[in-house]
């Protein structure tokens, strides 16, 4: 039986790029079950691609093959790899930092470089700008359909040599907790931090408490105000800010029925720091 193949890119769906990847995968095996994680990663945003994998991967069965193509270095000397997670799933991707959140959250058991002499779409050798179709979708489909084993992907690569993006470590400073804005809940504009609920509540926080929230980027304050810690969005008035626990059991920041990110021009990544301090 085939494993699932899950695709993620920054291609969007306004042209034929994603459809071409589907076509390649189905040409490998016509009954291969293919699913989309998302094709709306911000262009060239490797950090965002890494986080969306972390957000999703644990809910898929063992053996699932993920293909993630956010590849501003396509055609360069960066490696093409397939990693096996400690939870026995596979990720086909360029070695450019895409594995950052997966490695930290779930661990990587092994990594292999794709041997393109064996694992590349036939007659595509003169194309250097669409590895998502010619290398990643093709290799991912062959692996998911069991036409090749993991060992047949190519030679091993030391896990410790894989490229990782800089990550801000959460820390507690007296009565404040400091983390970063990892990602946006894009459609609604909420901020998702890297602060775990368990660590946040070690400070004795409870629903209804009021907190000072400061957000800065590279040392410059972008936002500073107070807000309530609520169980759900219903715990704040329309347009008011709120701290809450998101679906990944981490602290989120929202405006009730407005986009916090858009209103205050907030971005994501290790340089976006958030400091939360109880005021009462």
């Amino acid at each position: 039986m085939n494993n699932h193949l899950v695709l993620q890119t920054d291609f969007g769906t306004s042209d034929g790029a994603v459809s071409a990847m589907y076509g390649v995968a189905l040409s490998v095996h016509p009954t291969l079950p293919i699913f989309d994680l998302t094709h709306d990663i911000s262009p060239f945003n490797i950090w965002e691609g890494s986080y969306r994998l972390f957000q999703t991967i644990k809910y898929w069965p063992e053996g699932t093959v993920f293909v993630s193509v956010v590849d501003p270095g396509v055609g360069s000397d960066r490696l093409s790899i397939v990693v096996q997670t400690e939870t026995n799933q596979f990720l086909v991707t360029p070695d450019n930092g895409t594995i950052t959140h997966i490695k930290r959250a779930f661990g990587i058991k092994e990594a292999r470089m794709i041997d393109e002499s064996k694992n590349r779409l036939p007659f595509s050798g003169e194309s250097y700008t669409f590895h998502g179709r010619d290398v990643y979708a093709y290799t991912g489909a062959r692996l998911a359909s069991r036409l090749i084993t993991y060992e047949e992907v190519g030679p091993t690569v030391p896990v410790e040599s894989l490229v990782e993006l800089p990550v801000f470590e959460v820390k507690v400073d007296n009565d404040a907790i400091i983390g970063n804005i990892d990602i946006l809940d894009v459609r609604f504009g909420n901020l998702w931090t890297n602060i775990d609920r368990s660590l946040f509540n070690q400070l004795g926080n409870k629903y209804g408490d009021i907190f000072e929230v400061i957000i800065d980027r590279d040392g410059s304050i972008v936002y500073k105000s107070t807000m309530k810690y609520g169980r759900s969005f219903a715990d704040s008035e329309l347009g008011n800010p709120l701290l809450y626990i998101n679906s990944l059991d981490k602290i989120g920041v929202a405006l009730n029925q407005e986009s916090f990110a858009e209103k205050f021009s907030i971005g994501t990544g290790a340089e976006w720091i958030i400091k939360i301090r109880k005021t009462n």
Side-chain angles (χ1 to χ4, degrees), residues 218-247:
D218 295 329
S220 297
I221 294 178
V222 178
Y223 175 88
K224 182 178 180 179
S225 190
T226 58
M227 63 185 71
K228 183 164 61 173
Y229 175 38
R231 189 182 303 273
S232 70
F233 305 116
D235 290 339
S236 69
E237 300 294 329
L238 290 180
N240 284 354
L242 181 77
L243 291 173
Y244 69 102
I245 305 300
N246 71 14
S247 60

Side-chain angles (χ1 to χ4, degrees), residues 36-105:
D36 296 315
L37 193 161
T38 180
H39 298 291
D40 290 326
I41 299 296
S42 302
F44 318 121
N45 194 327
I46 299 167
W47 174 276
E48 188 177 326
S50 173
Y51 194 92
R52 294 305 180 199
L53 288 163
F54 158 69
Q55 180 184 356
T56 307
I57 199 169
K58 68 180 179 180
Y59 299 106
W60 285 83
E62 287 191 23
T64 298
V65 178
F66 292 82
V67 172
S68 180
V69 190
V70 183
D71 193 13
V74 62
S76 69
D77 59 0
R78 61 96 185 93
L79 296 182
S80 296
I81 58 172
V82 182
V83 302
Q84 182 180 15
T85 70
E86 292 288 354
T87 51
N88 292 317
Q89 294 157 320
F90 300 93
L91 172 59
V92 185
T93 189
D95 181 25
N96 59 10
T98 301
I99 56 89
T100 299
H101 289 88
I102 295 299
K103 183 179 179 184
R104 292 172 62 85

Side-chain angles (χ1 to χ4, degrees), residues 140-253:
R142 282 163 61 81
L143 185 60
S145 61
R146 306 177 191 264
L147 291 181
I148 58 171
T149 65
Y150 181 51
E151 289 71 26
E152 291 174 305
V153 164
T156 58
V157 176
V159 171
E160 61 272 16
S161 74
L162 299 178
V163 175
E164 295 184 63
L165 303 173
V167 174
F168 183 90
E169 301 289 352
V170 177
K171 58 185 178 182
V172 176
D173 181 15
N174 294 321
D175 59 343
I177 190 164
I178 304 170
N180 79 280
I181 309 301
D182 254 348
I183 205 74
L184 301 181
D185 184 4
V186 177
R187 186 168 178 83
F188 302 105
N190 304 331
L191 316 181
W192 285 11
T193 77
N194 65 337
I195 302 170
D196 289 327
R197 174 185 55 82
S198 57
L199 180 59
F200 181 73
N201 286 338
Q202 282 180 17
L203 300 180
N205 303 323
K206 62 183 185 298
Y207 294 123
D209 288 344
I210 304 299
F211 293 83
E212 178 186 63
V213 175
I214 300 173
I215 299 172
D216 74 65
R217 183 186 188 190
D218 295 329
S220 297
I221 294 178
V222 178
Y223 175 88
K224 182 178 180 179
S225 190
T226 58
M227 63 185 71
K228 183 164 61 173
Y229 175 38
R231 189 182 303 273
S232 70
F233 305 116
D235 290 339
S236 69
E237 300 294 329
L238 290 180
N240 284 354
L242 181 77
L243 291 173
Y244 69 102
I245 305 300
N246 71 14
S247 60
L248 296 179
D249 210 29
K250 296 180 184 293
I251 295 296
V253 185

